[in-house]
Amino acid sequence: MIRAGRDDDAADICAVVAGCWGEYPGCVTDIEGEAPELLAIATHCARRGGAVWVEEIDGRPVGLACTYPLPDGAWEIAKVYLARPHRGGGAARDLVETAEAFARAHGATHARLWSDMRFDRAHTFYEKLGYVRSGPIRALADKSNSIEFGYAKPLSGVVVERLDAAGAASAESALARVLVACVDDGASVSFFPPMAMRDALAFWRKVSSAVARGEKILLAAWLDGAIVGTVQLDLATPPNQPHRADLAKMLVHPAARRHGIGRKMLARIEAEGAVAGKWLLTLDTLADSNAEALYRAGGWTECGLIPDYALDFDRTTPRATMLFYKRLQQPLPR
Ligand SMILES: CC(C)(COP(=O)(O)OP(=O)(O)OC[C@H]1O[C@@H](n2cnc3c(N)ncnc32)[C@H](O)[C@@H]1OP(=O)(O)O)[C@@H](O)C(=O)NCCC(=O)NCCS
């Protein structure tokens, strides 16, 4: 059961936090010296304009999460801890989603959090909830010598953002789930269904390393805090085509289609391409598909059909691909 946290939960909350920190080497628990806010967590969060929740089992708190506003319109999600015996049942997810819903209801645009570099299981957890690594790391002057990754995500509506190398690497599993869902739904995007998650993860690792090398621009789209879409622009064209880039892997999760997500990603990737000095974008896509309709609607020019280009998901029937291009408003480099 999730309920509002109270100051008199302090003893149980401190025990939960100490237990979690004790799982990682070098993490020192000094509540009075370094985390006195845990001794009156409800008052602490209320003073910051936020709130705290606990997961209660048999009358005792076994986990918590809190949230409060930051100066720039984002809300921080903090103090996410769940005692080990109670993990795996969705309680931590419920706690974070409760905090996110509160932040959203109070007008939060983004959620942000910090997570110690050592807390690798927490990173997987946040990444499943749609968070991506964002901004620089920070070092705390504490007894644990903590170094923390920043994570963030948009909370409401459709938001498209560009991922840098750290963001791309942290989004691999979320993007793999989108790719698997699209392929299994019959999308013609290089793979046959059923697509194994490990193949999808291997694909996105290649993409994030290309992002890190500056060879690709990668976008992710969130719908109410979940990653549901992606598209990429391949900048690594030959020397005599410095002005051209290839658009690829425009994907929207089947459950999130026809909400304008594809259109929004298309507009943003075109803008990113222009900023990168690309004024001619090209792509190929399955003829007579949703994607063909999207590119036409986005003002792309079709320039031909190649018959029998790729096999359909039955692994047998060849299907045609349609070539498209779009000129952006940018002069020829001289
Ligand atoms: C193509 C795809 C990305 C579109 O995503 P989406 O978020 O549903 O697209 P949008 O909601 O932004 O649609 C924008 C416009 O595209 C066109 N469109 C998109 N899907 C369409 C469909 N199923 N039928 C007809 N038109 C469609 C419409 O003009 C639409 O505008 P409208 O909704 O105002 O009529 C999605 O269907 C997808 O992931 N398909 C599988 C993967 C794929 O084939 N990718 C292309 C690789 S090159």
Side-chain angles (χ1 to χ4, degrees):
M1 181 191 83
I2 291 182
R3 63 161 171 81
R6 302 186 300 256
D7 287 352
D8 66 6
D9 290 324
D12 288 316
I13 283 177
C14 291
V16 169
V17 173
C20 293
W21 286 351
E23 292 174 34
Y24 291 95
C27 285
V28 178
T29 306
D30 175 7
I31 303 279
E32 282 80 9
E34 294 192 330
E37 68 277 10
L38 291 174
L39 300 171
I41 189 72
T43 300
H44 171 78
C45 292
R47 275 202 194 119
R48 298 187 71 162
V52 56
W53 296 265
V54 296
E55 167 78 9
E56 187 182 277
I57 293 183
D58 297 334
R60 310 276 302 260
V62 298
L64 71 153
C66 58
T67 187
Y68 36 77
L70 297 168
D72 64 354
W75 279 53
E76 184 157 341
I77 304 289
K79 309 267 186 281
V80 180
Y81 296 103
L82 185 68
R84 195 172 202 160
H86 303 286
R87 293 183 197 156
R93 183 182 191 112
D94 292 347
L95 281 163
V96 172
E97 287 181 347
T98 302
E100 288 175 355
F102 183 88
R104 203 178 276 125
H106 286 77
T109 55
H110 281 67
R112 268 206 230 121
L113 60 89
W114 293 98
S115 185
D116 190 290
M117 272 185 179
R118 286 167 284 207
F119 295 0
D120 48 355
R121 292 186 292 275
H123 305 158
T124 309
F125 167 73
Y126 293 127
E127 289 163 11
K128 266 195 180 152
L129 292 177
Y131 288 86
V132 294
R133 277 194 196 153
S134 165
I137 57 171
R138 73 174 183 186
L140 305 182
D142 63 356
K143 291 178 180 161
S144 306
N145 297 305
S146 304
I147 304 175
E148 297 182 327
F149 289 125
Y151 277 88
K153 73 171 183 180
L155 276 180
S156 300
V158 175
V159 179
V160 175
E161 289 187 358
R162 179 170 171 173
L163 300 179
D164 62 11
S170 66
E172 283 169 10
S173 61
L175 296 176
R177 281 190 291 278
V178 173
L179 176 60
V180 166
C182 287
V183 171
D184 289 355
D185 184 62
S188 178
V189 283
S190 313
F191 303 100
F192 287 127
M195 185 168 192
M197 191 65 183
R198 62 192 296 267
D199 294 338
L201 287 168
F203 171 81
W204 287 109
R205 172 48 54 101
K206 273 195 203 156
V207 174
S208 46
S209 76
V211 170
R213 290 192 301 273
E215 293 169 5
K216 277 183 196 284
I217 294 174
L218 177 66
L219 305 185
W222 284 258
L223 176 61
D224 293 337
I227 291 182
V228 295
T230 180
V231 64
Q232 48 190 273
L233 198 59
D234 190 352
L235 306 173
T237 40
N240 68 346
Q241 299 163 29
H243 54 290
R244 188 179 72 80
D246 243 330
L247 185 146
K249 297 289 180 292
M250 162 75 79
L251 302 167
V252 174
H253 193 288
R257 297 210 179 135
R258 301 310 290 269
H259 284 85
I261 297 170
R263 181 188 290 121
K264 208 162 181 171
M265 289 197 296
L266 192 57
R268 176 68 184 270
I269 201 86
E270 289 171 10
E272 293 287 349
V275 169
K278 304 291 185 179
W279 55 265
L280 181 66
L281 305 188
T282 51
L283 66 84
D284 66 81
T285 193
L286 184 70
D288 299 322
S289 64
N290 304 342
E292 192 190 315
L294 169 70
Y295 300 128
R296 274 187 215 284
W300 285 60
T301 305
E302 64 175 86
C303 52
L305 199 69
I306 304 178
D308 300 341
Y309 188 82
L311 297 183
D312 210 351
F313 56 82
D314 64 6
R315 299 175 184 239
T316 314
T317 316
R319 299 275 308 267
T321 203
M322 174 70 78
L323 304 178
F324 280 91
Y325 72 90
K326 186 162 184 176
R327 265 177 206 279
L328 305 178
Q329 297 301 317
Q330 200 157 322
L332 252 174
R334 295 197 186 277

